[in-house]
Amino acid sequence: KVVQEESVMMGQFNMDCNNMVHIKSHTRRLEAKRHTLEKYQQWLNAFMQRRDRGKADIRAFFWLLLWHIDVGDWQRGLELARFALVAGMASPIDFSRTLAETVCEEIAGGILKTGKPNDHADVLEEVAELVVGHDMTDQIAAKLYKARGLAWLEVDPDKARELLMEALKYDSNAGV
């Protein structure tokens, strides 16, 4: 019965992925993802409890993790990313970046797009802690330093300056 439920869930997930691809409007796609994510929460929790995880399950897990980040649910995205990194999961073959790079770039970029990084300083610090020691491109590291620097600008200008200087060190074109 569990295998049958899993098969139905994977079929539903594949349909949902296919539907997302066909939504041209970025705003409508984000809303569809937000709505769709609700039905996968139990599956995600069960996935993190299981020992046996197939390639299709892992692929679905990664896409659902990214959808959480896409819709701005950074805390749930971080929870899922933390699990995956601690479990030593690698990004699926069709991902060009590592999990650490993907999470770092997508969350930092998403927060920068809000125009209010100071509202999300805690999330940015969690991301920094999560990806410490993981190899990533200098441009992605710079984006995280930039977002963190802007988040600290009003609260601790010295720390902000230090972080922004790190962003410049990693990428002189970081927009700092």
Side-chain angles (χ1 to χ4, degrees), residues 9-26:
M9 199 293 303
M10 291 309 296
Q12 181 64 54
F13 175 75
N14 289 330
M15 260 184 13
D16 288 336
C17 272
N18 190 44
N19 289 339
M20 294 300 165
V21 170
H22 291 94
I23 300 173
K24 293 181 181 181
S25 164
H26 180 69

Side-chain angles (χ1 to χ4, degrees), residues 5 8 15 24 52 65 69 71 75-76 90 98 105 108 113 122 138 142 148-149 155 162 165 171 176:
E5 288 175 12
V8 169
M15 260 184 13
K24 293 181 181 181
D52 58 326
L65 183 163
I69 294 170
V71 302
Q75 287 299 336
R76 180 65 165 163
T98 66
E105 184 168 34
K113 285 179 188 173
D122 57 333
D138 290 346
R148 290 174 63 209
V155 179
E162 196 176 296
M165 293 304 288
D171 182 6
V176 175

Side-chain angles (χ1 to χ4, degrees), residues 1-10:
K1 181 175 177 163
V2 172
V3 172
Q4 185 180 13
E5 288 175 12
E6 198 61 29
S7 177
V8 169
M9 199 293 303
M10 291 309 296

Side-chain angles (χ1 to χ4, degrees), residues 119-133:
D119 289 350
H120 308 287
D122 57 333
V123 172
L124 291 164
E125 293 307 312
E126 281 186 60
V127 171
E129 287 176 27
L130 184 63
V131 300
V132 72

